């Protein structure tokens, strides 16, 4: 779909520098549903998984679609657990459909093609490049009513996504963590800067509804 297509997502169209075209495989009707992004560290661990398990069922019960970027760690957990709990999820890729990255998530991407949605601004044969991923993050935030950051280091791509969200006047949420854990430095910093501290899914719902 292209920028002037009537089916082009309304929220994304309102953003600065929206993609001129979007390639989609799967259930494109999800682009019209209320969406929340969950992003975080590629090193996400059991704490991150438990945090997702804590907030996810409440969001799914409200028919909220979960968006993430198919990266290792928190992104993968968000997609997998959304599917496990019977919810819907959108994956925004930093490559074309013929070059799923990381390769270990190819099966997950295949599983998403029917009932869920794969999305990319890159033609199908485009290989992943380092600079694609920050650009991808603007789409993740642009499609979402709010973005939840779960485990992020001090210098993290998740913080770039949060910056995009702030620029587009989206809600930014963060899961707090231990002050001695490097994976909590980014999320604790966001809370310090005014992101809403999240303990339950209801903390998110009360801001986006």
């Amino acid at each position: 779909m292209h920028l002037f297509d009537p089916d082009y997502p309304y929220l994304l169209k309102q953003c600065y520098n929206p993609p001129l075209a979007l390639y989609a495989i799967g259930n494109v009707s999800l682009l019209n549903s209320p969406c929340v992004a969950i992003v975080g560290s590629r090193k996400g661990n059991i704490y991150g998984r438990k945090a997702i398990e804590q907030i996810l069922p409440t969001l799914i019960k409200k028919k909220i679609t979960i968006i993430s970027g198919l990266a290792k760690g928190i992104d993968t957990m968000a997609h997998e657990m959304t599917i496990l709990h019977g919810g819907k999820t959108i994956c925004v890729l930093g490559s074309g459909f013929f070059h799923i990255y990381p390769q270990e998530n190819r099966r997950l991407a295949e599983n998403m093609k029917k009932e869920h949605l794969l999305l990319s601004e890159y033609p199908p044969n485009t290989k992943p490049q380092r600079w694609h991923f920050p650009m991808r993050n603007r789409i993740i935030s642009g499609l979402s009513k709010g973005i939840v950051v779960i485990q992020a280091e001090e210098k993290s791509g998740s913080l770039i996504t949060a910056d995009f969200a702030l620029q587009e006047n989206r809600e930014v949420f963060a899961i707090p963590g231990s002050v001695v854990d490097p994976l909590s430095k980014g999320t604790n910093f966001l809370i310090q800067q005014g992101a809403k501290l999240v303990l339950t899914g209801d903390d998110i719902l009360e801001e986006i509804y």
Side-chain angles (χ1 to χ4, degrees):
M1 67 187 73
H2 58 77
L3 183 59
F4 303 105
D5 192 312
D7 294 329
Y8 193 95
Y10 175 79
L11 280 180
L12 188 59
K13 189 179 289 189
Q14 309 311 307
C15 294
Y16 173 75
N17 191 27
L20 294 177
L22 287 172
Y23 299 85
I25 298 179
N27 183 1
V28 293
S29 70
L30 294 179
L31 293 171
N32 298 316
S33 65
C35 298
V36 167
I38 295 179
V39 298
S41 174
R42 288 173 171 80
K43 300 176 184 177
N45 55 30
I46 188 65
Y47 177 76
R49 180 176 292 275
K50 287 184 176 295
I52 295 172
E53 289 174 345
Q54 178 85 358
I55 66 173
L56 201 57
T58 303
L59 302 181
I60 291 173
K61 195 172 182 180
K62 288 292 186 179
K63 307 296 184 184
I64 289 173
T65 298
I66 303 301
I67 301 180
S68 201
L70 203 73
K72 297 178 184 179
I74 295 299
D75 288 23
T76 297
M77 293 178 197
H79 292 305
E80 289 180 338
M81 281 194 276
T82 298
I83 295 170
L84 183 64
H85 284 277
K88 299 297 183 183
T89 184
I90 297 173
C91 163
V92 184
L93 297 168
S95 62
F97 298 135
F98 297 162
H99 296 279
I100 298 297
Y101 181 85
Q103 289 192 4
E104 56 259 45
N105 278 347
R106 289 171 65 182
R107 180 175 293 182
L108 174 58
E110 283 294 321
N111 290 341
M112 292 175 63
K113 285 183 177 179
K114 290 184 178 179
E115 297 183 12
H116 307 279
L117 183 63
L118 300 182
L119 206 62
S120 178
E121 67 177 313
Y122 302 108
N125 207 33
T126 305
K127 294 182 179 180
Q129 302 291 335
R130 184 181 295 272
W131 59 270
H132 287 175
F133 296 96
M135 295 299 289
R136 173 212 50 193
N137 293 349
R138 84 191 194 285
I139 301 175
I140 292 175
S141 66
L143 288 168
S144 307
K145 287 191 169 187
I147 174 172
V148 186
V149 183
I150 300 176
Q151 294 195 302
E153 292 161 293
E154 198 168 11
K155 294 182 179 179
S156 165
S158 301
L159 301 190
I160 295 174
T161 314
D163 284 341
F164 280 126
L166 289 171
Q167 291 170 22
E168 304 300 343
N169 201 29
R170 304 294 197 265
E171 299 290 342
V172 177
F173 306 95
I175 300 290
S178 167
V179 296
V180 297
D181 184 355
L183 291 181
S184 295
K185 284 190 175 181
T187 50
N188 290 346
F189 171 78
L190 287 174
I191 293 167
Q192 233 181 5
Q193 297 300 306
K196 180 166 182 175
L197 186 154
V198 170
L199 300 177
T200 69
D202 287 325
D203 295 330
I204 298 166
L205 293 178
E206 67 185 19
E207 298 297 334
I208 66 173
Y209 276 110

